[in-house]
Amino acid sequence: QPDVLDLAGDFSACVVYDSLSAGPNNGLVSDAAPFGASGAGWRLMDSGGALLFDTLGPASTFTRCLSAILPTGPLNVACFGRAGTTQLLKANLGTIISTAGSLIVPATAQPVRIGRYAEAGVGALQKRIFEVWFTTATPSDALFTALMQRVKQRLHVTAW
């Protein structure tokens, strides 16, 4: 069943969450087919100390945007999105990361998952997600910074 987050064009998203557990494959939010399946959709996760934003495109083209620093504050904001064929990722007012990729194939056969992704046998995230925000607006450093500043001010975050 298709859903409103089966996005083929530009989009921006942010997730507000508490610090993630260590270890591989902690899914934050996903609208993607399982790894190894025919490529469709996108996912945001942390794995092995890094924040990852993956997209799946035509002919199972896989693109990964990687932030080498995993946010570890008591409350964190990760923003991600696509502008044309460029992926963007930013966490806790840090440096924005961009990666060139391909267009996304919408994952119309997958539901949106918050706190996990489609892999069988992979448990749900063991931390809390407080807010998930999506728009079809083109992502930018200015947009992500403004959203992060708003969360920081609203929730009195001092850790970053």
Side-chain angles (χ1 to χ4, degrees):
Q1 179 84 336
D3 57 63
V4 297
L5 298 180
D6 291 334
L7 304 165
D10 291 1
F11 73 93
S12 298
C14 289
V15 180
V16 180
Y17 60 97
D18 64 6
S19 45
L20 297 173
S21 57
N25 302 324
N26 288 297
L28 283 168
V29 63
S30 171
D31 189 27
F35 285 106
S38 60
W42 52 265
R43 68 176 68 87
L44 178 70
M45 63 183 174
D46 87 283
S47 184
L51 192 61
L52 312 168
F53 169 42
D54 297 339
T55 59
L56 303 163
S60 297
T61 304
F62 174 82
T63 305
R64 171 166 282 169
C65 194
L66 169 71
S67 172
I69 299 171
L70 180 66
T72 57
L75 193 67
N76 301 290
V77 180
C79 293
F80 62 101
R82 292 283 294 189
T85 58
T86 301
Q87 291 177 216
L88 299 168
L89 176 64
K90 182 173 178 144
N92 291 358
L93 295 173
T95 302
I96 195 162
I97 309 295
S98 66
T99 303
S102 63
L103 296 175
I104 297 174
V105 172
T108 55
Q110 298 294 324
V112 173
R113 293 172 175 89
I114 297 174
R116 62 176 299 122
Y117 45 85
E119 278 57 40
V122 176
L125 186 67
Q126 298 301 309
K127 300 295 181 174
R128 295 171 295 182
I129 295 175
F130 299 101
E131 185 174 348
V132 180
W133 173 89
F134 281 88
T135 181
T136 54
T138 300
S140 68
D141 190 37
L143 174 64
F144 290 167
T145 297
L147 289 165
M148 290 174 181
Q149 290 286 17
R150 187 176 312 143
V151 169
K152 185 174 181 172
Q153 179 183 15
R154 187 178 66 203
L155 300 178
H156 308 289
V157 175
T158 59
W160 41 271

